[in-house]
Amino acid sequence: MGDEIRIDKQIFHDRLSRFITAWKADKRSGDALFGGVGSIVVVMGKSEELSAYQKNNAVHFWLLGYEFPATLLLFTTEKLYIVTTAKKAKHLDSLKGGKTPIEFLVRGKDNELNTKIFHQITDVIKSLGNKVGLIAKDASSGPFIDEWKKAYESISDSMQEVDISTALSAGALAVKDENELRAMRNSSKACVGIMKFFVEEMSEILDQELKVTHKALSDRVDGKLDDSGFFKSMVDLKLTGDFDNTQLDWCYGPIVQSGGKYDLRLTAAPDDNNLHAGAIIAAFGLRYKSYCSILARTYLVDPNKPQESVYKLLLTVHEVVLKEIRDGVLAKDVYNKAISIIKSKKPDLEKHFVKSVGGGIGIETRDSTLVINSKNPRALRDGMTLVISTGFNDVKNPEPQDRKSGTYSLLLSDTIRVQRGDDPILFTGKAASDLESTSFFFKEEEEEPAPKPIQKKRDSRIGAVAAKNITQKKLRGDRGAQLDAGVEAKRREHQKELAKKKQEEGMEKFAKAKGVQNNTAQKQFKRFESYKRDNQFPSKVKELMIVMDLKNSTIVLPIMGRPVPFHINTIKNASQNEEGDYSYLRINFLSPGQGVGRKDDQPFEDPTAQFVRSLTFRSKDGDRMHDISTQISDMKKSAVRKEQEKKELEDVVEQDKLVEIRNRRPQRLSDVFVRPALDGKRTAGEVEIHQNGLRYAPPRHEQRIDILFSNVKHLFFQPCQGELIVLIHVHLINPIMIGKKKTKDVQFYREATDIQFDETGNRKRKYRYGDEEEFEAEQEERKRRAQLDKEFKTFAEKVSEAGRSENVDVDIPFRELGFNGVPNRANVYCQPSTDCLVQLTEPPFTVITLEEIEIAHLERVQFGLKNFDMVLVFKDFHRPVFHINTIPVESLEGVKEWLDSVNIPFSEGPLNLNWPTIMKTITSDPHAFFADGGWSFLSAESDDEQDDEEEEESAFEMSDSELAASDESSDDDSEFDEDASAESAGASEESESGGEDWDVLEKKAARKDRDGELDDDEEKPKKKRR
């Protein structure tokens, strides 16, 4: 034990006094809780790394704040006896002099003295009566325990042992004081933050259809625990100012389960099966300063109606359980209430319901004496903290989406505090559990097939051409959407010209290219230097031991009697394992041929040299070997993080200084917010135009954002038409740092909603009612929006004028040309402008310069699909292609027309292509790519598809022989009289000459509509749930 151990004397004596007072009160009231014991023994054996604490561990942490192995505590109503070693007694000595007397019995190396001390304890126990309190399920072990059991055997026959677990829970551990509750609130908030991270990771995996195992996802969640920046960024959690994430540790999990195999117990462990898009359970518990909180949620991916119904029932049961919990209620009554709700609504689910709905939590992950099940008669008390867990296990899915969805489980867990006469306080309430928040929809809902209309006998007297004209569109209202064949032909011709021009440019540009060496930076060997001189070695190397030099990112290893330094970047990893009495530390080094796939490109100065692949060290000090292994892993992580941060900031440039206007007041736009937001509270600031740039200054001027005109690539003004904000957006050439964030986009905006305007004090309101007032409010809204647009547009033009020397021009998006799509994660409205394609409303923003685009390819363009994707390939082939996914098919013609109008060649195909592979092939030898036809392989795919469509269409045309045969059969079977035949003959001749005129057909159709003979009812497509 180190000198840093500090035991709070005040807390120790307050809690000890509270426990003894409860003991004495129980004696006076009939010994119902403590069972009439005269003494209580709590004994600790050797220290063991356990995620779940037992009662003896909990007592140590509750009283002392630490765990003292090989220590015995003997409680009496008047005194506390502590049997421990001299070193531990030194730390505990400061506890003397309190309300309760303490006597230390110090053990040493003399076995006879140690035995005498234990007999002294047994004498005290015997003198206080024949009943002694022990922890019944105490699993402590070790030499200390063996010695105590041997000494206790001398009096065990004359003593009556009483299980004191419930008394320890009720009198000490269950009801928390304010310090304990503060720690539990912090652990609960940390659980909520980790759950939010899990949801983001899970959504990304499912959205991109990645194959990630439960264990790998659990490891990602586990890694966030040591990220102090993560918890600092979670401002909405409102963590206390003294929150220290190094005090966090797992007490349960993290556990991720899906795919039909579920285990709702606390002993569950993640398996190696891949995450399955169905019912996904995420559960974990965190311990902060020894106090635990548990949180669990179930997320449903593309759930069906029966699953939603069962989840709604679980929510109802969970809420009922929470409302039932209050001071004085029996634990069994809470569980029975939950069962009664299930019996009344879905009795068949009772057998699937969990056997308990939670239990006590605190220092112990689960208080075994405070389990909320159908048999526990214990009463709940104000100040108790509980984990409430409701769930259904292995429920049959009547409509399984796939093979793994045949059965599913649901689980909800929250950490709460019991109150007197009121609903409990929900510590983990910020983790949403409602159906809307926990349901995710990634699959497109299939349109229900329209019922086949009854085919009427075709009148052969209507010619084939006319029939084709009539049935080309189902409704007359759709005829306006028919493409002008002439316009389509012109567009195809223009696209062929653009493709030919692009091919010629490619051949000219890459005529002398010789493969991957062109425009590609080769990886260079990096030299790592730990020390320049011998005297810079740490002083501890003289002892010929493993030395960790954190300052120089180096580990010094003793080899053949000499200290040899190894920079952390030369080390691959380190592992430690135990074999017999020895602990082995294996250090693996980087060397050629080790990597697999992408990792096999590690450059070396001389790959043919001799390399040390690994070193193994042996020691009897297992703890030190473990510490060294941990330190190496931490140092490696730190080195990788620093390298990533350095790489991230490579393209960040330091701007020149802003030249302020001194002789007059600069032009300002006030009451605007900025994105990305500055650190701290969100407040409106001012944008100022200076001589060579812009400056955004918040009210207190603690942080400023300077943007130079020389670094402005695009300037946008977007009005508030159809939006909730009006904005000015600046897209930069080189990224800048705002706080600790790197960004290439800075946006100044103001909200355009009613809440931004004060409408109080309007005297006219009390004299106007109904539609007149509503009409006036609409007019006021339009005026306000128009005024906002004018103010921002004027300021944007002033910015453009001030930056004219740097070619800064204002660009305004064309909303009428816009379309919905998913450029990142969210479905947003993308709008073309004169020079760009932008999305400026929702971060992350999208700004794509049209001049930088090589070609566009439209994917998933085929009959029956509601959406298609657009891929933009840049002229810089080393730049990743840009995807805009899930564009509604209604926007297809508009997108084609826009691409053609801005001279961007485009192609289309029915499938998604593997673009990383395609671009890798192109960059490996661009000359060969264009020599083989360049982008024509995309156009060939489009032409093939069109040919298929023409073949399908031609299959419906009628040959002359078939038409003649049809006419003959009509004449033979005709049921009309001669006059009717004459009329039909005339009609047939007219149809053969090209069909009836559209005007005539329109009139006939209108007449049929009036007579009620035409039924145009068609099923509307389902609206996709979001």
Side-chain angles (χ1 to χ4, degrees), residues 257-397:
Q257 302 179 78
S258 67
K261 295 181 180 180
Y262 302 93
D263 184 357
L264 305 188
R265 298 173 298 176
L266 284 175
T267 55
D271 56 30
D272 290 323
N273 293 324
N274 288 332
L275 186 70
H276 174 257
I280 301 173
I281 294 179
F284 44 78
L286 288 175
R287 176 180 284 115
Y288 182 74
K289 294 183 178 179
S290 304
Y291 287 87
C292 305
S293 292
I294 288 178
L295 175 63
R297 290 289 182 265
T298 302
Y299 297 97
L300 301 175
V301 182
D302 297 311
N304 52 39
K305 295 296 181 184
Q307 286 179 313
E308 290 183 348
S309 176
V310 175
Y311 188 82
K312 287 178 181 177
L313 174 62
L314 181 63
L315 281 176
T316 302
V317 173
H318 198 73
E319 290 170 2
V320 168
V321 169
L322 291 175
K323 288 181 179 179
E324 281 295 305
I325 290 175
R326 58 187 178 277
D327 184 77
V329 174
L330 302 184
K332 63 180 182 179
D333 292 344
V334 175
Y335 183 83
N336 292 333
K337 181 68 174 179
I339 290 294
S340 66
I341 295 292
I342 297 171
K343 284 182 177 179
S344 64
K345 295 193 174 184
K346 288 184 183 292
D348 54 313
L349 288 176
E350 182 186 354
K351 62 183 178 182
H352 298 286
F353 192 60
V354 290
K355 302 305 178 185
S356 69
V357 293
I361 192 171
I363 297 175
E364 295 176 280
T365 308
R366 192 180 183 95
D367 187 346
S368 58
T369 68
L370 196 51
V371 178
I372 305 175
N373 56 24
S374 60
K375 300 177 181 178
N376 192 354
R378 189 167 169 190
L380 305 180
R381 296 298 175 203
D382 179 25
M384 284 184 175
T385 51
L386 310 172
V387 56
I388 299 301
S389 294
T390 57
F392 294 109
N393 201 7
D394 295 333
V395 181
K396 296 292 181 183
N397 187 357

Side-chain angles (χ1 to χ4, degrees), residues 156 181 349 388 450 477 499 637 665 686 689 745 805 848 1014 1017:
S156 59
L181 291 173
L349 288 176
I388 299 301
K637 289 178 185 177
R665 185 178 179 182
E686 292 182 334
I689 303 176
D745 293 277
S805 61
I848 300 172
L1014 183 63
D1017 287 342

Side-chain angles (χ1 to χ4, degrees), residues 421-542:
D422 202 355
D423 290 344
I425 297 173
L426 199 58
F427 287 159
T428 52
K430 285 192 176 182
S433 59
D434 58 285
L435 182 60
E436 185 175 352
S437 300
T438 56
S439 297
F440 295 82
F441 297 88
F442 293 100
K443 293 181 180 177
E444 295 289 338
E445 290 186 10
E446 296 181 359
E447 275 192 43
E448 292 183 6
K452 275 192 174 182
I454 300 173
Q455 293 185 354
K456 295 183 180 180
K457 187 175 181 181
R458 184 175 179 270
D459 191 349
S460 64
R461 286 159 296 186
I462 299 179
V465 178
K468 183 178 177 183
N469 288 341
I470 293 172
T471 59
Q472 191 170 0
K473 291 290 178 180
K474 293 180 181 178
L475 301 175
R476 294 190 304 281
D478 291 340
R479 289 174 192 156
Q482 293 184 25
L483 291 175
D484 188 335
V487 174
E488 176 67 17
K490 287 181 181 178
R491 189 166 69 196
R492 287 188 180 179
E493 192 64 31
H494 184 223
Q495 282 297 311
K496 287 180 180 178
E497 293 175 6
L498 291 175
K500 182 179 179 182
K501 184 180 178 182
K502 191 64 65 177
Q503 173 70 10
E504 292 173 354
E505 289 176 355
M507 290 295 295
E508 182 181 352
K509 181 178 179 182
F510 298 103
K512 299 180 181 180
K514 296 294 182 182
V516 73
Q517 288 80 9
N518 239 23
N519 301 325
T520 308
Q522 296 293 315
K523 288 195 173 184
Q524 300 295 326
F525 173 75
K526 293 183 180 179
R527 292 181 174 273
F528 306 110
E529 189 174 48
S530 298
Y531 309 106
K532 291 185 178 180
R533 294 176 295 276
D534 292 348
N535 58 7
Q536 292 179 333
F537 275 75
S539 58
K540 290 185 179 180
V541 299
K542 297 177 182 178

Side-chain angles (χ1 to χ4, degrees), residues 199-201 203-205 207-208 821-828 843-844:
V199 172
E200 292 176 1
E201 289 293 305
S203 302
E204 185 174 355
I205 291 168
D207 192 23
Q208 298 182 11
V822 184
N824 290 292
R825 292 185 183 179
N827 194 314
V828 293

Side-chain angles (χ1 to χ4, degrees), residues 542-789:
K542 297 177 182 178
E543 302 175 15
L544 287 180
M545 58 189 296
I546 299 176
V547 177
M548 300 296 300
D549 188 354
L550 301 178
K551 182 179 178 182
N552 294 299
S553 299
T554 298
I555 175 172
V556 184
L557 302 175
I559 301 176
M560 305 293 290
R562 290 179 176 272
V564 181
F566 291 89
H567 196 277
I568 191 63
N569 286 325
T570 65
I571 295 175
K572 184 180 179 182
N573 54 37
S575 60
Q576 179 257 344
N577 64 305
E578 306 282 344
E579 290 185 15
D581 295 334
Y582 291 96
S583 179
Y584 291 85
L585 174 67
R586 179 186 175 93
I587 302 175
N588 299 313
F589 298 92
L590 293 171
S591 59
Q594 272 189 320
V596 177
R598 295 179 181 177
K599 296 182 180 179
D600 200 20
D601 57 357
Q602 173 72 29
F604 292 90
E605 188 174 24
D606 181 11
T608 61
Q610 299 293 323
F611 286 83
V612 177
R613 284 213 165 181
S614 66
L615 293 173
T616 304
F617 295 87
R618 186 180 73 173
S619 173
K620 287 189 175 182
D621 191 348
D623 292 340
R624 172 164 169 74
M625 290 290 103
H626 178 74
D627 290 344
I628 292 173
S629 175
T630 304
Q631 289 179 40
I632 292 174
S633 300
D634 293 344
M635 189 185 291
K636 186 69 179 174
K637 289 178 185 177
S638 177
V640 171
R641 186 170 59 251
K642 288 178 182 177
E643 191 69 23
Q644 289 175 344
E645 291 174 355
K646 184 179 178 182
K647 189 176 181 180
E648 180 78 14
L649 300 177
E650 277 180 354
D651 56 347
V652 177
V653 297
E654 187 174 347
Q655 298 185 114
D656 296 332
K657 289 189 177 181
L658 186 75
V659 180
E660 298 183 37
I661 294 177
R662 299 290 185 184
N663 56 352
R664 61 178 173 83
R665 185 178 179 182
Q667 293 173 321
R668 288 187 171 96
L669 182 64
S670 58
D671 294 328
V672 294
F673 298 95
V674 66
R675 291 194 289 195
L678 297 171
D679 297 337
K681 189 177 180 182
R682 176 177 176 267
T683 54
E686 292 182 334
V687 184
E688 302 174 346
I689 303 176
H690 289 276
Q691 290 186 23
N692 64 336
L694 302 175
R695 167 169 287 174
Y696 175 80
R700 298 180 183 176
H701 297 278
E702 63 272 3
Q703 288 179 304
R704 292 178 177 178
I705 300 175
D706 291 342
I707 302 172
L708 300 188
F709 293 137
S710 59
N711 195 29
V712 175
K713 189 173 184 179
H714 298 291
L715 176 68
F716 301 97
F717 158 68
Q718 180 175 292
C720 55
Q721 177 189 357
E723 304 286 355
L724 296 177
I725 59 175
V726 57
L727 60 87
I728 293 174
H729 188 97
V730 182
H731 183 66
L732 305 176
I733 299 172
N734 296 307
I736 62 173
M737 297 298 294
I738 296 181
K740 295 181 180 179
K741 300 174 185 175
K742 182 182 83 168
T743 183
K744 286 187 76 172
D745 293 277
V746 183
Q747 186 179 105
F748 311 108
Y749 71 97
R750 190 186 299 169
E751 295 175 357
T753 53
D754 287 339
I755 198 169
Q756 296 293 315
F757 301 93
D758 184 10
E759 295 184 349
T760 58
N762 188 351
R763 296 182 180 179
K764 295 181 182 179
R765 291 180 65 87
K766 65 180 181 179
Y767 300 111
R768 302 198 177 194
Y769 305 93
D771 295 340
E772 185 180 354
E773 182 183 9
E774 186 176 344
F775 178 71
E776 183 178 339
E778 290 177 1
Q779 283 188 322
E780 289 294 327
E781 172 72 12
R782 282 195 291 270
K783 286 180 182 178
R784 282 196 299 267
R785 285 179 169 265
Q787 181 62 32
L788 274 177
D789 289 345

Side-chain angles (χ1 to χ4, degrees), residues 186-296:
N186 279 330
S187 61
S188 298
K189 290 174 181 178
C191 282
V192 173
I194 293 290
M195 185 63 79
K196 289 182 178 180
F197 170 77
F198 167 79
V199 172
E200 292 176 1
E201 289 293 305
M202 177 194 70
S203 302
E204 185 174 355
I205 291 168
L206 296 175
D207 192 23
Q208 298 182 11
E209 298 182 356
L210 303 176
K211 291 186 178 180
V212 179
T213 65
H214 297 143
K215 192 173 187 308
L217 182 53
S218 298
D219 291 341
R220 289 190 197 179
V221 176
D222 187 4
K224 274 293 164 185
L225 206 61
D226 299 324
D227 187 354
S228 58
F230 169 74
F231 291 102
K232 289 179 182 177
S233 65
M234 304 296 284
V235 181
D236 56 326
L237 296 181
K238 297 181 180 179
L239 292 163
T240 56
D242 60 346
F243 178 81
D244 180 9
N245 71 295
T246 61
Q247 299 269 15
L248 283 172
D249 194 9
W250 296 106
C251 64
Y252 164 49
I255 307 296
V256 180
Q257 302 179 78
S258 67
K261 295 181 180 180
Y262 302 93
D263 184 357
L264 305 188
R265 298 173 298 176
L266 284 175
T267 55
D271 56 30
D272 290 323
N273 293 324
N274 288 332
L275 186 70
H276 174 257
I280 301 173
I281 294 179
F284 44 78
L286 288 175
R287 176 180 284 115
Y288 182 74
K289 294 183 178 179
S290 304
Y291 287 87
C292 305
S293 292
I294 288 178
L295 175 63

